[in-house]
Amino acid sequence: MLLNKFILADIIDRAIKEDLGYGDITTDNLIAEDAQSKALITIKEAGVAAGLEIARSVFNKYDPDLKFKALLTEGDKLDAGTVLAEVEGSTRSILKAERLALNFLQRLSGIATKSREYVELVEAYPAQIVDTRKTTPTLRMLEKYAVKVGGAKNHRMGLDDCVMIKDNHLKAAGSIKNAVEKIKANISHTTKIELEIDELPQLDEALEAEVDIILLDNMSPEELKKAVQIVDGRVILEASGGITKENVAEIAASGVDIISVGALTHQINSIDIALDLN
């Protein structure tokens, strides 16, 4: 996905205000104003780097005169010790921006790395790995960007992206038929409709409602296989709920089209990345 520069600028502005406050009392009272340095940003463990352009934006927001040079293309699997980028210019500016830039790089690289792991686990099957809305509030755009860098796909960005009728919607509407009919009466013909079901007996009613995507929630691999046989390619089938690295290949083998994994963004170990002055 593309990074919206206006949203990105707002995220960085708020992050700087949180971190910098009224100034860096350590750096400003220790480092000479005219001091110049060069720094290397290095990944300390194997993984997939993501967020280099976000890091560049952080450094340039602190000081437009800083020179940031990315040394690789995001999305490649990297060995520990790989130098990701160089930063050159005011020592004060580099030190002030260091932690914030690394925070973005480390978290986004963690997401990209986990996304790549899931993608590789199902590469023998047609199923696509996608993310969910289980993201850090206000950071969804960046986290979904990292998912794409890792090789997975994005589900909807927000509630306005597509119709997704979930279990609580069905309880409120009374039935699948009622929910889908009312939705179709009120939305544009260009908007896709996804319907979540959690029991196989609901599948026939879901097919009769003629939705675009059926989400099979927390179903066993055996149930997923039965659903695939019943549907026989008539609609897109998405598996969700309880997806782990241990069971994702078996779920992909069921024949579903999409596997949505909340863990891509909400169960993350940040990748160890460091900045060192030369």
Side-chain angles (χ1 to χ4, degrees), residues 50-85:
L52 286 168
E53 287 308 307
I54 290 92
R56 181 198 303 276
S57 297
V58 170
F59 283 109
N60 288 341
K61 184 67 177 180
Y62 270 95
D63 184 347
D65 292 328
L66 286 178
K67 296 177 181 178
F68 182 96
K69 181 181 180 182
L71 300 179
L72 50 81
T73 301
E74 296 187 324
D76 294 334
K77 293 181 73 172
L78 305 173
D79 294 327
T82 302
V83 178
L84 306 179

Side-chain angles (χ1 to χ4, degrees), residues 56-130:
R56 181 198 303 276
S57 297
V58 170
F59 283 109
N60 288 341
K61 184 67 177 180
Y62 270 95
D63 184 347
D65 292 328
L66 286 178
K67 296 177 181 178
F68 182 96
K69 181 181 180 182
L71 300 179
L72 50 81
T73 301
E74 296 187 324
D76 294 334
K77 293 181 73 172
L78 305 173
D79 294 327
T82 302
V83 178
L84 306 179
E86 299 172 349
V87 189
E88 189 170 0
S90 164
T91 307
R92 282 189 177 186
S93 298
I94 292 172
L95 294 177
K96 290 177 183 180
E98 172 188 359
R99 182 70 269 152
L100 185 55
L102 290 180
N103 284 349
F104 282 123
L105 275 173
Q106 290 175 320
R107 178 160 182 81
L108 298 185
S109 295
I111 292 171
T113 300
K114 176 162 277 193
S115 298
R116 181 62 54 81
E117 290 172 353
Y118 272 86
V119 168
E120 290 178 347
L121 286 168
V122 303
E123 60 187 1
Y125 307 99
Q128 292 187 335
I129 300 294
V130 305

Side-chain angles (χ1 to χ4, degrees), residues 183-184 186-193 212:
I183 281 290
K184 287 185 176 181
N186 286 289
I187 64 168
S188 166
H189 67 284
T190 63
T191 305
K192 287 187 178 294
I193 301 173
D212 301 290

